[in-house]
Amino acid sequence: MSSSAPDIAPRSFRHASVLLDGAVEALVHDADGVYLDGTFGRGGHSRAILARLSPAGRLLAIDRDPEAIVDAASIDDSRFTIERAEFARLGEIAQKNGVHGRLAGILLDVGVSSPQLDDPERGFSFMRDGPLDMRMDPSQGESAAAFIAKAREAELTRVFKEYGEERYARRLARAIVARRADQPFERTADLAEVVKIAHPAWEKHKHPATRVFQALRIHVNAELEQLDAALEAALEALAPGGHLVVISFHSLEDRRVKRFIRHHVRGDTHLPRGIPITDDQLERRLEALGKAQRAGPQEVDENPRARSAVMRAARKRY
């Protein structure tokens, strides 16, 4: 394994890879092939992929979280390589490793991982008090606290509405702006409490700050832009016949994945009917591999976070 792992000690937080068997089954179709795990996390999918590969197979992994890179050091396998990067750069990473256009499969497990949520020091969760950070790579970009400190009310409203689908986005943004005038937000529990008090309609079994925290996390990490770029890069990095498998955890992500696959399955639908043209000319570059899959009752019982997971898979035609 090769990587430029940072000098950081890994923390111990339990992580159960969602849709593990189904994802690996859909992904690995050639035991001798080269595969890419674009979201290593804590390595559940990567380890399962390696178990399916022959001695000639190879796995390249990517993650921007420094703790994931440290955790990857536990994989002592000459077939495995990991790079610290955003998955939007998977095309660049594939070129660097000499496998661009040759990948037999690419897996993207989108969103935040359980260890990130469970570690209060990462600032992702309103359930545990910690610094208001939310960056998947704490060494890059702007933290949630920094964004909240300077964002205008209109910008906060847009983020909460667009990325959190929060009905009361403007009201919550106004409350945050009013409070920060007296004291800046630095802790997750503080922000969650202000949102909780300002929210006029609590949903059953859902903390009133859920959508605000989701929206901030997506914004801080540019998650949807990263996903769009990764999907486009994956299409070019795959070999003809290669498989693309994507696991999403909320509707904003899944809609993008569904739209991307559908577009490349249907091809150019604006051409006049009746013209004799080939699939290449239509640019039908993908073939869907079955219907979307969800976690079964047993997996949801064992890992409640799997409840919202949706997996889609496609094969590259050419």
Side-chain angles (χ1 to χ4, degrees), residues 144-192:
F147 171 66
I148 289 174
K150 67 176 182 58
R152 296 174 180 268
E153 180 181 317
E155 175 68 357
L156 288 171
T157 299
R158 182 192 68 80
V159 167
F160 297 162
K161 184 177 294 184
E162 185 175 339
Y163 298 149
E165 300 178 298
E166 173 54 67
R167 179 181 178 185
Y168 299 99
R170 181 170 297 175
R171 178 171 181 156
L172 301 181
R174 188 180 303 124
I176 289 170
V177 170
R179 211 312 293 276
R180 80 181 183 196
D182 299 323
Q183 180 184 352
F185 288 94
E186 297 178 348
R187 309 288 295 182
T188 56
D190 184 22
L191 176 62

Short mmCIF file of all heavy atoms in Angstrom, two decimals, residues 144-192:
data_model
loop_
_atom_site.label_atom_id
_atom_site.label_comp_id
_atom_site.label_asym_id
_atom_site.label_seq_id
_atom_site.Cartn_x
_atom_site.Cartn_y
_atom_site.Cartn_z
N ALA A 144 -17.74 24.96 9.26
CA ALA A 144 -19.13 25.42 9.40
C ALA A 144 -19.20 26.67 10.27
O ALA A 144 -19.98 27.58 9.98
CB ALA A 144 -19.98 24.29 9.99
N ALA A 145 -18.39 26.73 11.32
CA ALA A 145 -18.38 27.90 12.20
C ALA A 145 -17.95 29.14 11.44
O ALA A 145 -18.55 30.22 11.60
CB ALA A 145 -17.44 27.65 13.38
N ALA A 146 -16.93 29.01 10.59
CA ALA A 146 -16.46 30.16 9.81
C ALA A 146 -17.51 30.62 8.81
O ALA A 146 -17.70 31.82 8.59
CB ALA A 146 -15.16 29.79 9.09
N PHE A 147 -18.19 29.67 8.19
CA PHE A 147 -19.23 30.03 7.23
C PHE A 147 -20.38 30.75 7.92
O PHE A 147 -20.85 31.80 7.45
CB PHE A 147 -19.75 28.77 6.52
CG PHE A 147 -20.96 29.02 5.68
CD1 PHE A 147 -20.89 29.82 4.55
CD2 PHE A 147 -22.18 28.44 6.02
CE1 PHE A 147 -22.03 30.05 3.78
CE2 PHE A 147 -23.31 28.67 5.25
CZ PHE A 147 -23.23 29.48 4.12
N ILE A 148 -20.85 30.21 9.04
CA ILE A 148 -21.96 30.82 9.77
C ILE A 148 -21.59 32.22 10.27
O ILE A 148 -22.43 33.12 10.31
CB ILE A 148 -22.38 29.92 10.94
CG1 ILE A 148 -23.09 28.67 10.41
CG2 ILE A 148 -23.30 30.66 11.91
CD1 ILE A 148 -23.42 27.67 11.48
N ALA A 149 -20.33 32.42 10.62
CA ALA A 149 -19.89 33.69 11.17
C ALA A 149 -20.01 34.84 10.17
O ALA A 149 -20.21 36.00 10.56
CB ALA A 149 -18.46 33.58 11.66
N LYS A 150 -19.90 34.54 8.86
CA LYS A 150 -19.85 35.62 7.88
C LYS A 150 -20.98 35.61 6.87
O LYS A 150 -21.20 36.61 6.18
CB LYS A 150 -18.53 35.58 7.13
CG LYS A 150 -18.35 34.36 6.23
CD LYS A 150 -17.05 34.44 5.45
CE LYS A 150 -16.88 33.25 4.52
NZ LYS A 150 -17.99 33.10 3.54
N ALA A 151 -21.69 34.50 6.75
CA ALA A 151 -22.72 34.39 5.71
C ALA A 151 -23.89 35.35 5.98
O ALA A 151 -24.34 35.50 7.12
CB ALA A 151 -23.24 32.96 5.64
N ARG A 152 -24.39 35.97 4.93
CA ARG A 152 -25.57 36.81 5.04
C ARG A 152 -26.80 35.94 5.30
O ARG A 152 -26.80 34.74 5.01
CB ARG A 152 -25.78 37.61 3.75
CG ARG A 152 -24.68 38.62 3.45
CD ARG A 152 -24.91 39.26 2.10
NE ARG A 152 -23.89 40.23 1.78
CZ ARG A 152 -23.97 41.53 2.06
NH1 ARG A 152 -25.06 42.00 2.65
NH2 ARG A 152 -23.00 42.36 1.73
N GLU A 153 -27.85 36.57 5.82
CA GLU A 153 -29.07 35.82 6.10
C GLU A 153 -29.61 35.16 4.84
O GLU A 153 -30.06 34.01 4.87
CB GLU A 153 -30.12 36.76 6.69
CG GLU A 153 -31.44 36.07 7.01
CD GLU A 153 -32.49 37.02 7.57
OE1 GLU A 153 -32.13 37.87 8.41
OE2 GLU A 153 -33.66 36.91 7.14
N ALA A 154 -29.53 35.86 3.70
CA ALA A 154 -30.04 35.29 2.45
C ALA A 154 -29.24 34.06 2.03
O ALA A 154 -29.81 33.11 1.49
CB ALA A 154 -29.98 36.35 1.35
N GLU A 155 -27.92 34.07 2.26
CA GLU A 155 -27.10 32.93 1.89
C GLU A 155 -27.39 31.74 2.80
O GLU A 155 -27.48 30.61 2.33
CB GLU A 155 -25.61 33.31 1.98
CG GLU A 155 -24.63 32.17 1.74
CD GLU A 155 -24.63 31.66 0.30
OE1 GLU A 155 -25.44 32.14 -0.51
OE2 GLU A 155 -23.83 30.77 0.00
N LEU A 156 -27.54 31.98 4.09
CA LEU A 156 -27.91 30.90 5.00
C LEU A 156 -29.27 30.31 4.61
O LEU A 156 -29.45 29.09 4.62
CB LEU A 156 -27.95 31.42 6.44
CG LEU A 156 -26.62 31.73 7.10
CD1 LEU A 156 -26.84 32.43 8.44
CD2 LEU A 156 -25.80 30.47 7.30
N THR A 157 -30.21 31.18 4.28
CA THR A 157 -31.53 30.72 3.86
C THR A 157 -31.43 29.82 2.64
O THR A 157 -32.06 28.75 2.58
CB THR A 157 -32.44 31.92 3.54
OG1 THR A 157 -32.58 32.73 4.72
CG2 THR A 157 -33.81 31.46 3.08
N ARG A 158 -30.64 30.25 1.65
CA ARG A 158 -30.48 29.45 0.44
C ARG A 158 -29.88 28.09 0.75
O ARG A 158 -30.36 27.05 0.24
CB ARG A 158 -29.56 30.17 -0.55
CG ARG A 158 -29.37 29.42 -1.87
CD ARG A 158 -28.24 29.99 -2.70
NE ARG A 158 -26.95 29.78 -2.09
CZ ARG A 158 -26.26 28.63 -2.15
NH1 ARG A 158 -26.77 27.58 -2.77
NH2 ARG A 158 -25.07 28.53 -1.57
N VAL A 159 -28.85 28.04 1.58
CA VAL A 159 -28.19 26.78 1.91
C VAL A 159 -29.16 25.85 2.64
O VAL A 159 -29.26 24.66 2.31
CB VAL A 159 -26.93 27.03 2.76
CG1 VAL A 159 -26.41 25.73 3.38
CG2 VAL A 159 -25.84 27.67 1.90
N PHE A 160 -29.90 26.37 3.62
CA PHE A 160 -30.82 25.54 4.38
C PHE A 160 -31.95 25.01 3.50
O PHE A 160 -32.38 23.86 3.64
CB PHE A 160 -31.43 26.33 5.55
CG PHE A 160 -30.42 26.79 6.58
CD1 PHE A 160 -30.73 27.80 7.48
CD2 PHE A 160 -29.16 26.23 6.64
CE1 PHE A 160 -29.82 28.22 8.42
CE2 PHE A 160 -28.22 26.65 7.58
CZ PHE A 160 -28.56 27.65 8.47
N LYS A 161 -32.42 25.85 2.58
CA LYS A 161 -33.52 25.45 1.70
C LYS A 161 -33.06 24.48 0.62
O LYS A 161 -33.68 23.47 0.36
CB LYS A 161 -34.13 26.69 1.06
CG LYS A 161 -35.35 26.42 0.20
CD LYS A 161 -35.94 27.71 -0.35
CE LYS A 161 -36.50 28.58 0.75
NZ LYS A 161 -37.15 29.80 0.22
N GLU A 162 -31.91 24.79 -0.01
CA GLU A 162 -31.44 24.00 -1.14
C GLU A 162 -30.82 22.68 -0.72
O GLU A 162 -31.07 21.64 -1.34
CB GLU A 162 -30.40 24.82 -1.93
CG GLU A 162 -29.93 24.16 -3.20
CD GLU A 162 -29.00 25.05 -4.01
OE1 GLU A 162 -29.05 26.29 -3.82
OE2 GLU A 162 -28.23 24.51 -4.84
N TYR A 163 -30.01 22.68 0.32
CA TYR A 163 -29.28 21.48 0.73
C TYR A 163 -29.94 20.73 1.88
O TYR A 163 -29.63 19.55 2.09
CB TYR A 163 -27.85 21.83 1.12
CG TYR A 163 -27.03 22.43 -0.01
CD1 TYR A 163 -26.03 23.35 0.26
CD2 TYR A 163 -27.26 22.07 -1.33
CE1 TYR A 163 -25.27 23.91 -0.76
CE2 TYR A 163 -26.51 22.62 -2.36
CZ TYR A 163 -25.51 23.54 -2.06
OH TYR A 163 -24.78 24.07 -3.08
N GLY A 164 -30.81 21.41 2.62
CA GLY A 164 -31.49 20.75 3.73
C GLY A 164 -32.97 20.55 3.47
O GLY A 164 -33.64 19.87 4.25
N GLU A 165 -33.47 21.17 2.40
CA GLU A 165 -34.90 21.13 2.10
C GLU A 165 -35.72 21.51 3.33
O GLU A 165 -36.75 20.90 3.65
CB GLU A 165 -35.30 19.75 1.55
CG GLU A 165 -34.56 19.40 0.26
CD GLU A 165 -34.89 18.03 -0.27
OE1 GLU A 165 -34.62 17.04 0.44
OE2 GLU A 165 -35.42 17.93 -1.39
N GLU A 166 -35.21 22.55 4.02
CA GLU A 166 -35.81 23.02 5.26
C GLU A 166 -36.92 24.03 4.95
O GLU A 166 -36.68 25.07 4.35
CB GLU A 166 -34.73 23.66 6.15
CG GLU A 166 -35.26 24.35 7.40
CD GLU A 166 -36.13 23.46 8.27
OE1 GLU A 166 -35.59 22.48 8.84
OE2 GLU A 166 -37.34 23.74 8.37
N ARG A 167 -38.11 23.71 5.38
CA ARG A 167 -39.28 24.55 5.11
C ARG A 167 -39.16 25.93 5.76
O ARG A 167 -39.60 26.93 5.20
CB ARG A 167 -40.53 23.83 5.61
CG ARG A 167 -41.82 24.60 5.40
CD ARG A 167 -42.99 23.80 5.95
NE ARG A 167 -44.25 24.52 5.81
CZ ARG A 167 -45.42 24.09 6.31
NH1 ARG A 167 -45.47 22.92 6.94
NH2 ARG A 167 -46.52 24.80 6.14
N TYR A 168 -38.56 25.97 6.94
CA TYR A 168 -38.46 27.23 7.69
C TYR A 168 -37.05 27.82 7.60
O TYR A 168 -36.52 28.38 8.56
CB TYR A 168 -38.86 26.99 9.15
CG TYR A 168 -40.27 26.49 9.28
CD1 TYR A 168 -40.54 25.14 9.45
CD2 TYR A 168 -41.35 27.37 9.19
CE1 TYR A 168 -41.85 24.67 9.55
CE2 TYR A 168 -42.66 26.91 9.29
CZ TYR A 168 -42.90 25.56 9.46
OH TYR A 168 -44.20 25.12 9.55
N ALA A 169 -36.45 27.70 6.43
CA ALA A 169 -35.06 28.12 6.24
C ALA A 169 -34.85 29.59 6.60
O ALA A 169 -33.89 29.93 7.31
CB ALA A 169 -34.66 27.88 4.78
N ARG A 170 -35.71 30.46 6.16
CA ARG A 170 -35.53 31.90 6.42
C ARG A 170 -35.65 32.21 7.90
O ARG A 170 -34.86 33.00 8.45
CB ARG A 170 -36.54 32.71 5.62
CG ARG A 170 -36.41 34.21 5.81
CD ARG A 170 -37.28 34.95 4.82
NE ARG A 170 -36.85 34.69 3.45
CZ ARG A 170 -37.49 35.14 2.37
NH1 ARG A 170 -38.60 35.84 2.50
NH2 ARG A 170 -37.03 34.87 1.17
N ARG A 171 -36.61 31.61 8.54
CA ARG A 171 -36.81 31.86 9.97
C ARG A 171 -35.60 31.40 10.78
O ARG A 171 -35.14 32.10 11.69
CB ARG A 171 -38.07 31.13 10.43
CG ARG A 171 -38.37 31.26 11.91
CD ARG A 171 -39.73 30.70 12.22
NE ARG A 171 -40.07 30.83 13.62
CZ ARG A 171 -41.31 30.86 14.09
NH1 ARG A 171 -42.33 30.80 13.24
NH2 ARG A 171 -41.55 30.96 15.38
N LEU A 172 -35.06 30.23 10.45
CA LEU A 172 -33.90 29.71 11.18
C LEU A 172 -32.65 30.53 10.88
O LEU A 172 -31.84 30.78 11.78
CB LEU A 172 -33.68 28.24 10.83
CG LEU A 172 -34.86 27.31 11.14
CD1 LEU A 172 -34.52 25.88 10.76
CD2 LEU A 172 -35.26 27.40 12.61
N ALA A 173 -32.50 30.96 9.65
CA ALA A 173 -31.36 31.80 9.29
C ALA A 173 -31.41 33.12 10.05
O ALA A 173 -30.38 33.61 10.55
CB ALA A 173 -31.35 32.07 7.79
N ARG A 174 -32.60 33.68 10.17
CA ARG A 174 -32.77 34.94 10.89
C ARG A 174 -32.39 34.78 12.36
O ARG A 174 -31.72 35.65 12.96
CB ARG A 174 -34.21 35.42 10.77
CG ARG A 174 -34.45 36.82 11.32
CD ARG A 174 -35.90 37.24 11.15
NE ARG A 174 -36.31 37.16 9.76
CZ ARG A 174 -37.34 36.46 9.32
NH1 ARG A 174 -38.07 35.73 10.18
NH2 ARG A 174 -37.66 36.45 8.05
N ALA A 175 -32.77 33.66 12.96
CA ALA A 175 -32.44 33.41 14.37
C ALA A 175 -30.94 33.26 14.57
O ALA A 175 -30.38 33.74 15.56
CB ALA A 175 -33.18 32.15 14.85
N ILE A 176 -30.28 32.61 13.63
CA ILE A 176 -28.83 32.41 13.73
C ILE A 176 -28.10 33.74 13.59
O ILE A 176 -27.17 34.03 14.36
CB ILE A 176 -28.37 31.41 12.65
CG1 ILE A 176 -28.85 30.01 13.02
CG2 ILE A 176 -26.84 31.44 12.50
CD1 ILE A 176 -28.65 28.98 11.92
N VAL A 177 -28.51 34.55 12.65
CA VAL A 177 -27.87 35.86 12.44
C VAL A 177 -28.08 36.76 13.66
O VAL A 177 -27.15 37.47 14.09
CB VAL A 177 -28.42 36.53 11.17
CG1 VAL A 177 -27.97 37.98 11.07
CG2 VAL A 177 -27.97 35.76 9.94
N ALA A 178 -29.28 36.73 14.24
CA ALA A 178 -29.56 37.55 15.42
C ALA A 178 -28.70 37.12 16.60
O ALA A 178 -28.15 37.96 17.33
CB ALA A 178 -31.04 37.46 15.77
N ARG A 179 -28.54 35.82 16.79
CA ARG A 179 -27.76 35.34 17.94
C ARG A 179 -26.26 35.59 17.77
O ARG A 179 -25.55 35.93 18.72
CB ARG A 179 -28.02 33.86 18.15
CG ARG A 179 -27.94 33.33 19.59
CD ARG A 179 -26.76 33.72 20.43
NE ARG A 179 -25.49 33.16 19.97
CZ ARG A 179 -25.05 31.95 20.27
NH1 ARG A 179 -25.76 31.15 21.00
NH2 ARG A 179 -23.85 31.57 19.82
N ARG A 180 -25.75 35.44 16.55
CA ARG A 180 -24.30 35.58 16.36
C ARG A 180 -23.84 37.02 16.56
O ARG A 180 -22.65 37.28 16.76
CB ARG A 180 -23.90 35.10 14.96
CG ARG A 180 -24.16 36.10 13.85
CD ARG A 180 -23.78 35.59 12.49
NE ARG A 180 -23.99 36.61 11.48
CZ ARG A 180 -24.05 36.38 10.18
NH1 ARG A 180 -23.91 35.14 9.71
NH2 ARG A 180 -24.24 37.38 9.32
N ALA A 181 -24.75 37.97 16.52
CA ALA A 181 -24.40 39.36 16.78
C ALA A 181 -23.90 39.53 18.21
O ALA A 181 -23.09 40.42 18.49
CB ALA A 181 -25.60 40.27 16.51
N ASP A 182 -24.38 38.71 19.11
CA ASP A 182 -23.97 38.77 20.51
C ASP A 182 -22.84 37.80 20.83
O ASP A 182 -21.96 38.09 21.64
CB ASP A 182 -25.16 38.45 21.43
CG ASP A 182 -26.29 39.43 21.27
OD1 ASP A 182 -26.01 40.63 21.08
OD2 ASP A 182 -27.46 39.01 21.31
N GLN A 183 -22.84 36.64 20.17
CA GLN A 183 -21.84 35.60 20.46
C GLN A 183 -21.70 34.69 19.24
O GLN A 183 -22.68 34.17 18.74
CB GLN A 183 -22.27 34.78 21.67
CG GLN A 183 -21.30 33.68 22.06
CD GLN A 183 -21.82 32.83 23.21
OE1 GLN A 183 -22.85 33.15 23.81
NE2 GLN A 183 -21.13 31.75 23.51
N PRO A 184 -20.48 34.48 18.76
CA PRO A 184 -20.29 33.61 17.59
C PRO A 184 -20.59 32.15 17.93
O PRO A 184 -20.48 31.73 19.08
CB PRO A 184 -18.82 33.80 17.23
CG PRO A 184 -18.17 34.23 18.51
CD PRO A 184 -19.20 35.05 19.22
N PHE A 185 -20.97 31.39 16.93
CA PHE A 185 -21.21 29.97 17.10
C PHE A 185 -19.89 29.21 16.95
O PHE A 185 -19.21 29.33 15.93
CB PHE A 185 -22.20 29.46 16.04
CG PHE A 185 -23.61 29.91 16.26
CD1 PHE A 185 -24.08 31.05 15.63
CD2 PHE A 185 -24.46 29.21 17.11
CE1 PHE A 185 -25.39 31.48 15.83
CE2 PHE A 185 -25.77 29.63 17.31
CZ PHE A 185 -26.23 30.76 16.66
N GLU A 186 -19.56 28.43 17.96
CA GLU A 186 -18.33 27.65 17.93
C GLU A 186 -18.55 26.18 18.24
O GLU A 186 -17.68 25.35 17.97
CB GLU A 186 -17.31 28.22 18.92
CG GLU A 186 -16.87 29.65 18.59
CD GLU A 186 -15.89 30.20 19.60
OE1 GLU A 186 -15.73 29.55 20.69
OE2 GLU A 186 -15.29 31.26 19.34
N ARG A 187 -19.72 25.84 18.80
CA ARG A 187 -19.99 24.46 19.24
C ARG A 187 -21.28 23.95 18.60
O ARG A 187 -22.23 24.70 18.35
CB ARG A 187 -20.12 24.38 20.76
CG ARG A 187 -19.00 25.01 21.55
CD ARG A 187 -17.73 24.20 21.48
NE ARG A 187 -17.87 22.88 22.11
CZ ARG A 187 -16.87 22.00 22.19
NH1 ARG A 187 -15.68 22.29 21.67
NH2 ARG A 187 -17.06 20.84 22.78
N THR A 188 -21.31 22.65 18.34
CA THR A 188 -22.48 22.04 17.71
C THR A 188 -23.72 22.14 18.60
O THR A 188 -24.81 22.41 18.11
CB THR A 188 -22.20 20.57 17.39
OG1 THR A 188 -21.80 19.88 18.58
CG2 THR A 188 -21.09 20.45 16.35
N ALA A 189 -23.55 21.90 19.89
CA ALA A 189 -24.71 21.92 20.79
C ALA A 189 -25.33 23.30 20.86
O ALA A 189 -26.56 23.44 20.97
CB ALA A 189 -24.29 21.46 22.18
N ASP A 190 -24.52 24.33 20.79
CA ASP A 190 -25.00 25.71 20.82
C ASP A 190 -25.87 25.99 19.59
O ASP A 190 -26.99 26.50 19.69
CB ASP A 190 -23.80 26.65 20.86
CG ASP A 190 -24.21 28.11 21.00
OD1 ASP A 190 -25.34 28.39 21.46
OD2 ASP A 190 -23.40 28.99 20.63
N LEU A 191 -25.38 25.65 18.42
CA LEU A 191 -26.15 25.87 17.20
C LEU A 191 -27.44 25.05 17.22
O LEU A 191 -28.51 25.55 16.86
CB LEU A 191 -25.32 25.48 15.98
CG LEU A 191 -26.04 25.57 14.63
CD1 LEU A 191 -26.49 26.99 14.34
CD2 LEU A 191 -25.15 25.03 13.51
N ALA A 192 -27.35 23.79 17.63
CA ALA A 192 -28.53 22.93 17.67
C ALA A 192 -29.60 23.50 18.60
O ALA A 192 -30.80 23.44 18.28
CB ALA A 192 -28.13 21.53 18.13
#
